Amino acid sequence: DWPNTSGWGTREQPPVVLMYTAAGRPTVQCIAYSTDGGQSWTKYAHNPVLGQITPDNRDPKVFWHAPTKRWVMTLYVERDKVHTIEFFASENLKDWTFLSATPGLFECPDFFELPLGGDPNRQRWVLTAASSEYFVGTFDGTTFRAETPKLPGHRGRGFYAAQTYSDIPASDGRRIQIGWLQAPSPGMPFNQAMSAPLVLSLRETDEGPRLAWQPVKELEQLRGAKRRASGVTLQANGAALHLTGGELLDLETTLEPTADAELELMVRGIPIRYRAAKAELTVGDVTNTVPLVEGRLKLRALVDRTSLELFARDGLVYVPLPVIADRAKQSVELRATGGSVRVEQIELHELSSAWPRP
């Protein structure tokens, strides 16, 4: 609470305020605050700050809306069996007023602004929710007006309830998202995982504005040994291109398939297949349409112990896939099963753990 609108801190030492759903009978929205940077918390004495609307109101996401100088909350509310995101406003985080509602999205809303095509003079708002489906539109501080139909978000499986970070320094300017990756974790003292941190951008396409996902550049700090190949042409049913790897991998490749090409990229035994004639990209058991761009297919894949995350069309197609790769398979193989494919470039980086070791 940088401007100390709640009065629990000072401008020199602003409080941290937590808004949460208190689930029960009734289900309400409450706040707690910290004046020591989050080491200890005090529940607001006059909770709840927003009473029950319906039994299924939950998941508040709050941000400071500078043009109107007030806080805005998006909240999931089910009204008459219709999934709805409702908007509320407050000047102090304690007293909230209903603003408007947008139907069509289910739980865990997120709401943020992005420059369309990277142009800071063409800002658009993105309203998204747990499935990562989203609308793009405008927001006047009271009402969100969608300019697109509801659009699909990720194109894989097991990616849910993603949220973005607020208050990233203005000099950085990124909107970074992390999703709940519903990946198996047998035998572990934890359950499932989080996705890689993803930078969101809003691109102009022939179909209209679309979200794109890309791994944050900081992941490159984990890169170790590199293998590279370029200028190789693979013929149908000919020899495969083989790169030795490791358990954790970051793969980038640019391919030029012929019009009748069919190719198979095995990443630690996980199949990625492309059929040029139909522009079909299949990752595991998930198939998406991915047309070539200037005759090229650019792919990036991050492989962890319980997941593969694939990025195509410079992030316009993001395919997360919960999967446990065979530990004995730690290489990458590329082959043409039809037509031919020229490997403009392929780079394979081994990754170290993101967790510091003692």
Side-chain angles (χ1 to χ4, degrees), residues 116-140:
L116 179 58
D119 184 349
N121 297 315
R122 302 177 65 201
Q123 299 287 334
R124 292 294 186 273
W125 286 85
V126 177
L127 178 63
T128 184
S131 68
S132 87
E133 294 175 310
Y134 65 97
F135 295 102
V136 179
T138 61
F139 181 63
D140 60 6

Side-chain angles (χ1 to χ4, degrees), residues 50 57 73 80 89 130 137 139 170 183 203 224 229 231 241 245 248 279 305 310-311 318 321 334 354:
L50 190 64
N57 50 195
M73 179 207 310
D80 301 321
F139 181 63
R203 308 272 185 82
L241 176 63
L248 313 177
R305 289 175 176 167
L310 186 80
F311 306 84
Y318 167 54
L321 187 68
L334 174 64

Side-chain angles (χ1 to χ4, degrees), residues 12-311:
E12 293 73 28
Q13 292 184 308
V16 180
V17 182
L18 171 69
M19 174 161 276
Y20 61 96
T21 299
R25 298 182 181 180
T27 295
V28 295
Q29 314 310 312
C30 297
I31 53 177
Y33 61 91
S34 173
T35 57
D36 57 12
Q39 297 182 65
S40 60
W41 295 86
T42 301
K43 290 184 177 181
Y44 179 42
H46 300 291
N47 277 333
V49 295
L50 190 64
Q52 177 170 292
I53 302 166
T54 70
D56 291 312
N57 50 195
R58 60 180 180 270
D59 308 332
K61 181 61 180 284
V62 177
F63 66 96
W64 178 254
H65 187 249
T68 57
K69 297 183 179 179
R70 61 184 181 179
W71 300 97
V72 171
M73 179 207 310
T74 54
L75 185 75
Y76 168 70
V77 179
E78 182 180 323
R79 287 187 181 271
D80 301 321
K81 298 184 179 181
V82 176
H83 298 316
T84 303
I85 305 302
E86 297 196 351
F87 293 76
F88 299 83
S90 173
E91 295 182 355
N92 59 11
L93 293 168
K94 305 169 187 175
D95 305 300
W96 292 90
T97 302
F98 174 79
L99 297 176
S100 59
T102 298
L105 294 173
F106 176 58
E107 71 181 6
C108 304
D110 199 359
F111 191 49
F112 48 86
E113 201 172 19
L114 287 173
L116 179 58
D119 184 349
N121 297 315
R122 302 177 65 201
Q123 299 287 334
R124 292 294 186 273
W125 286 85
V126 177
L127 178 63
T128 184
S131 68
S132 87
E133 294 175 310
Y134 65 97
F135 295 102
V136 179
T138 61
F139 181 63
D140 60 6
T142 299
T143 303
F144 171 72
R145 293 179 174 84
E147 298 178 333
T148 67
K150 184 166 63 175
L151 300 168
H154 76 84
R155 306 300 180 90
R157 289 192 288 105
F159 181 91
Y160 199 72
Q163 292 290 298
T164 64
Y165 287 86
S166 300
D167 288 350
I168 292 174
S171 59
D172 185 304
R174 292 181 295 175
R175 177 61 57 167
I176 297 176
Q177 181 187 72
I178 295 181
W180 165 27
L181 196 59
Q182 298 165 326
S185 47
M188 293 292 104
F190 56 84
N191 187 27
Q192 304 183 38
M194 308 306 290
S195 73
L198 306 168
V199 177
L200 301 184
S201 59
L202 194 58
R203 308 272 185 82
E204 290 195 82
T205 73
D206 292 340
E207 295 80 29
R210 296 292 186 270
L211 274 179
W213 291 255
Q214 290 281 16
V216 295
K217 62 180 182 294
E218 287 83 356
L219 288 175
E220 295 176 11
Q221 298 175 26
L222 303 178
R223 288 178 172 180
K226 179 176 76 172
R227 285 88 179 178
R228 184 178 184 277
S230 62
V232 179
T233 298
L234 305 177
Q235 302 294 339
N237 302 313
L241 176 63
H242 180 95
L243 297 177
T244 58
E247 190 176 17
L248 313 177
L249 300 174
D250 185 352
L251 173 70
E252 292 185 284
T253 186
T254 302
L255 308 174
E256 297 179 21
T258 57
D260 59 343
E262 296 185 10
L263 61 92
E264 180 180 69
L265 179 63
M266 299 293 288
V267 183
R268 292 204 56 210
I270 304 165
I272 300 171
R273 299 184 176 94
Y274 187 73
R275 298 178 66 188
K278 294 188 174 182
E280 285 184 349
L281 178 69
T282 301
V283 186
D285 58 357
V286 177
T287 298
N288 288 284
T289 299
V290 178
L292 300 177
V293 178
E294 297 180 348
R296 294 178 173 87
L297 176 67
K298 293 179 64 176
L299 301 175
R300 183 173 180 186
L302 299 175
V303 184
D304 206 340
R305 289 175 176 167
T306 62
S307 65
L308 181 147
E309 297 178 68
L310 186 80
F311 306 84

